[in-house]
Amino acid sequence: MSAGVSNRQFLLWALALLILAVYAAYAAWQWGLPWLAASATKLVPVSWEQEVGSSAAAAIAPGAKPCLAGVAAQLERALPPPNPYRFEIRCAAAQEVNALAAPGGYIVVFQGLLDAAGSEEEVAAVLAHEMQHVARRHATRAIFRAFALQAVAGLVFGDASGLIARVSGSLGALHYQRADEDEADREGVLLLKRAGLRPEALPEMLESLETATSGEVALPAWLSSHPDTKRRIAITRELARQLE
Ligand SMILES: [Zn+2]
């Protein structure tokens, strides 16, 4: 074999290895992180979610008072067993049109959203949606995706303080995947029905929020973090109709 051929072979092998390495790095980023987040989420004890969630909820809305306990208990009883979560709703005085779920069962509802709701059942519909983000661990998985290193370190070393600091500063900026939102809508409508409330309240709430803010430039936070409101209204309305 001549020196020229073996050099060329070496270069081809090096090129192939380089392409493989780039592909592996891309795959780790594209699929490895979501896979790691999903796997870690399954291992997290509920007590750990409660520790992180309670601190995060307190940090994002300091001074928020426990509220809506009656309707929350009604929805909680209707969750299919086994349900390890005890829900606590806290109402914050800010005019933000928003509601947030922290892991472990803590949900913060802002006064702006309560004002925009057309009825108590519409508020229950928001709770039903947010409770599904907790029960299906969407909130926990979103945290693992966003803060993978702190979350895994916290879990391994049994110290969640670093993660709590990161989550507390950015709970409102956490994004769920589209599939999580669709699931929370769908299961939220079913939960309203099982709790003896009107499933139509979810599409009605979405319409109330659109109407309340139709003249404004910015969408209310609860709609902007949950994209494509018209599509959500159509899907949840059809599902509610099927349940009648
Ligand atoms: Zn949501």
Side-chain angles (χ1 to χ4, degrees), residues 29 44 65 95 150 190 204 235:
W29 173 254
V44 173
K65 306 253 179 325
Q95 282 305 314
Q150 284 98 333
L190 294 172
E204 285 166 8
I235 291 173

Side-chain angles (χ1 to χ4, degrees), residues 129-130 133 176 181 184 222 226:
H129 173 103
E130 295 298 329
H133 279 319
Y176 298 123
E181 293 301 351
W222 205 66
H226 297 72

Side-chain angles (χ1 to χ4, degrees), residues 94-183:
Q95 282 305 314
E96 204 178 317
V97 182
N98 206 5
L100 298 164
Y106 301 90
I107 294 171
V108 179
V109 181
F110 293 88
Q111 187 60 42
L113 184 129
L114 296 173
D115 293 345
S119 67
E120 282 177 14
E121 284 198 326
E122 291 186 15
V123 176
V126 171
L127 294 185
H129 173 103
E130 295 298 329
M131 283 164 93
Q132 295 293 354
H133 279 319
V134 173
R136 288 163 189 274
R137 297 194 159 190
H138 299 160
T140 305
R141 199 168 62 228
I143 285 171
F144 271 81
R145 266 201 314 272
F147 311 115
L149 284 181
Q150 284 98 333
V152 171
L155 207 54
V156 170
F157 298 114
D159 173 16
S161 56
L163 179 68
I164 288 170
R166 289 293 302 273
V167 173
S168 299
S170 51
L171 186 64
L174 280 184
H175 287 293
Y176 298 123
Q177 290 171 323
R178 174 80 164 246
D180 290 352
E181 293 301 351
D182 287 349
E183 187 175 49

Side-chain angles (χ1 to χ4, degrees), residues 75 121-122 124-126 128 185-206 232-233 235-244:
L75 288 165
E121 284 198 326
E122 291 186 15
V126 171
D185 272 349
R186 192 175 60 244
E187 296 298 323
V189 167
L190 294 172
L191 181 58
L192 287 168
K193 173 75 177 174
R194 277 197 300 268
L197 297 163
R198 290 175 53 252
E200 297 82 9
L202 187 47
E204 285 166 8
M205 180 62 184
L206 293 169
R232 293 179 66 200
I233 292 172
I235 291 173
T236 51
R237 172 144 289 144
E238 174 57 21
L239 180 56
R241 200 186 57 75
Q242 289 170 10
L243 292 173
E244 272 170 3

